[in-house]
Amino acid sequence: MGLNVIMLGAPGAGKGTQADVLARRRSLPKISTGDILRQGIKDELPVALVAKAKMDRGELVDDETMVAIVRERLGRPDADAGFILDGFPRTVDQARALDRIIDDRGKGPLIVVDIVVPEGELVRRLASRRICSQCGENAGPTDGQSCLRCGGALIQRPDDSESVVLERLGVYARSTKPLVDYYRVRPTFRAVNGAQAPDLVARDLETTIDEAATVGGRAGMGA
Ligand code: AMP
């Protein structure tokens, strides 16, 4: 049975970093819809260029586009054994669509992990976050001026500027937080304290996911 994980949490909660670690450790694809869109913009794909204006303002891209992207990505063979979803779903409608995709494909239980970080800490983290201008990798606080993976220059993500960050946190509270209520009632929903050092969050996450997987497997839940 595959390990299907959704990472929930506000912008800056550490979803991307933790999804990377987990994906590497479990040899599963990390599917980040933000990364897919940013790559699409670099490749000048029409669908991503349309999304760019919304991304630059910190708004959500429309559900139809996002569901189509995820449906296509989950249909690739490397997602058969499981996946780590980062940044999707972000609305209750996206979550419903994901349930349908999973049911159609018989992909087994979803484990939903909410990474919880207080708002003041989120703003602080987003203001200092840097990514690689070449490969898009998240840089750690001590990584200096260039990317440890490819040597590219580290830059601030355009949507991490202060005004856009505030908009993204507002969007999160309005559109994405209701998702927590959507998933909370499931036996495979878990919350993890994200206000700790990244390696401690990673440790808690792994323990939590393994424990939730036993529940999900027993219940044989389609969702
Ligand atoms: P992220 O890298 O996950 O913070 O995503 C960056 C931006 O991409 C977001 O602020 C949205 O504009 C867009 N985006 C990424 N994932 C989604 C999604 N599931 N639904 C709508 N918009 C998204």
Side-chain angles (χ1 to χ4, degrees):
M1 180 70 73
L3 183 65
N4 305 325
V5 180
I6 302 180
M7 310 281 266
L8 295 183
K15 292 189 300 288
T17 305
Q18 295 299 335
D20 272 335
V21 173
L22 194 62
R24 265 199 302 271
R25 287 204 185 145
R26 302 296 170 105
S27 302
L28 293 173
K30 168 188 141 171
I31 301 179
S32 154
T33 44
D35 285 352
I36 292 173
L37 290 170
R38 281 184 289 274
Q39 188 59 47
I41 293 170
K42 271 195 178 164
D43 297 342
E44 301 185 359
L45 301 183
V47 64
L49 292 175
V50 171
K52 184 177 184 310
K54 298 228 172 202
M55 292 173 74
D56 286 347
R57 288 196 298 267
E59 294 167 13
L60 293 184
V61 177
D62 65 280
D63 289 339
E64 206 183 324
T65 301
M66 297 315 301
V67 170
I69 288 174
V70 169
R71 182 185 297 280
E72 187 278 328
R73 183 63 189 84
L74 290 182
R76 293 195 208 163
D78 68 339
D80 280 349
F83 51 81
I84 315 292
L85 261 177
D86 160 28
F88 185 96
R90 259 184 165 90
T91 65
V92 172
D93 281 348
Q94 290 181 11
R96 292 205 179 98
L98 179 63
D99 282 343
R100 283 193 295 274
I101 294 171
I102 303 253
D103 285 348
D104 290 351
R105 296 182 181 276
K107 284 205 188 283
L110 267 183
I111 295 168
V112 184
V113 189
D114 186 23
I115 304 185
V116 182
V117 174
E119 181 159 325
E121 170 74 6
L122 295 172
V123 174
R124 198 186 59 71
R125 285 187 189 180
L126 290 167
S128 59
R129 172 160 80 176
R130 295 292 179 272
I131 62 163
C132 174
S133 55
Q134 297 304 314
C135 72
E137 177 94 342
N138 263 323
T142 55
D143 288 355
Q145 300 298 310
S146 47
C147 175
L148 295 180
R149 187 158 84 178
C150 76
L154 299 182
I155 54 165
Q156 184 171 54
R157 244 174 70 171
D159 58 351
D160 278 346
S161 69
E162 194 180 331
S163 61
V164 182
V165 160
L166 294 179
E167 172 62 19
R168 286 166 63 213
L169 290 174
V171 166
Y172 171 75
R174 285 193 301 277
S175 305
T176 307
K177 243 186 162 172
L179 266 186
V180 175
D181 296 324
Y182 179 80
Y183 284 125
R184 197 190 294 281
V185 293
R186 299 189 182 183
T188 50
F189 173 88
R190 297 289 180 282
V192 164
N193 173 14
Q196 324 175 63
D199 54 335
L200 297 184
V201 180
R203 187 200 59 191
D204 283 3
L205 201 61
E206 285 218 89
T207 319
T208 302
I209 285 173
D210 286 338
E211 178 268 321
T214 62
V215 175
R218 266 206 314 277
M221 303 264 305

